[in-house]
């Protein structure tokens, strides 16, 4: 991809925009089930031109792979990360502390972040939040993205689902290069 109008792409890693990415999207087997969510367009169209910083906040929190699936539950105004099959599994503190640590250290010099939609950690606006009785659900951010948005209000966050054609990838690349020139 070399025909962007506003920017000059470089393959030189230390000159490329630094962009965070959910580790499962580059094919790392870090999901709760031991699998990944390799995203072909991101890896073929964006990866050569960006200095991607690969992070799985749940692995960083020490949850291990594979691990029991979790979901976000709203209870008395607080959001908790509980086991999907066993609600006595509560990993809220581990995920919240790690999200806070990552967003104030490794993520400080990122201009953008590509996240996995619907994840209890990485979703941006698409993550289901259940009420305690499981009768209703609303959509929101995962715990890691919530911390990112609070700590780094200017970072551009996109879900992988919005990068599903070459034109969208081009627009995102252009945005990253312009942001990194500031
Ligand atoms: S926490 Fe994020 S990076 Fe890790 S597997 Fe889930 S969606 Fe992927």
């Amino acid at each position: 991809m070399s025909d962007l109008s506003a920017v000059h792409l470089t393959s030189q890693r230390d000159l490329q925009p630094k962009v965070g990415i959910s580790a499962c999207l580059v094919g790392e087997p870090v999901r709760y089930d031991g699998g990944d969510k390799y995203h072909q367009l991101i890896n073929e169209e964006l990866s050569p031109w960006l200095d991607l910083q690969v992070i799985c906040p749940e692995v960083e929190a020490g949850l291990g792979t594979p691990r029991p699936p979790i979901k976000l539950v709203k209870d008395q105004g607080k959001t908790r990360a509980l086991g999907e099959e066993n609600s006595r599994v509560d990993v809220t503190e581990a995920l919240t502390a790690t999200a806070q640590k990552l967003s104030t250290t490794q993520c400080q010099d990122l201009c953008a972040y590509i996240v996995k939609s619907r994840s209890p950690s990485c979703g941006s606006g698409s993550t289901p939040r259940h009420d305690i009785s499981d009768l209703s659900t609303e959509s929101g951010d995962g715990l890691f993205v919530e911390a990112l948005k609070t700590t780094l209000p200017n970072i551009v966050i996109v879900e992988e689902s919005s990068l599903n054609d070459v034109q969208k990838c081009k627009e995102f690349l252009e945005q990253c290069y312009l942001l990194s020139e500031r």
Side-chain angles (χ1 to χ4, degrees), residues 5-35:
S5 55
V7 297
H8 179 65
L9 301 181
T10 176
S11 56
Q12 204 175 319
R13 212 41 110 191
D14 57 345
L15 296 178
Q16 294 175 337
K18 267 189 161 189
V19 173
I21 187 164
S22 298
C24 53
L25 295 174
V26 300
E28 291 196 4
V30 289
R31 295 190 80 222
Y32 72 92
D33 59 1

Side-chain angles (χ1 to χ4, degrees), residues 21-25 28-32 35-37 54-60 65 67 70 95 113-123 144:
I21 187 164
S22 298
C24 53
L25 295 174
E28 291 196 4
V30 289
R31 295 190 80 222
Y32 72 92
D36 65 71
K37 279 286 176 181
V54 178
I55 298 172
C56 174
E58 294 185 8
V59 168
E60 293 284 334
T65 306
R67 54 188 174 274
I70 54 171
L95 289 184
Y113 212 113
I114 304 168
V115 294
K116 174 70 189 72
S117 58
R118 296 181 60 80
S119 152
S121 291
C122 295
F144 173 56

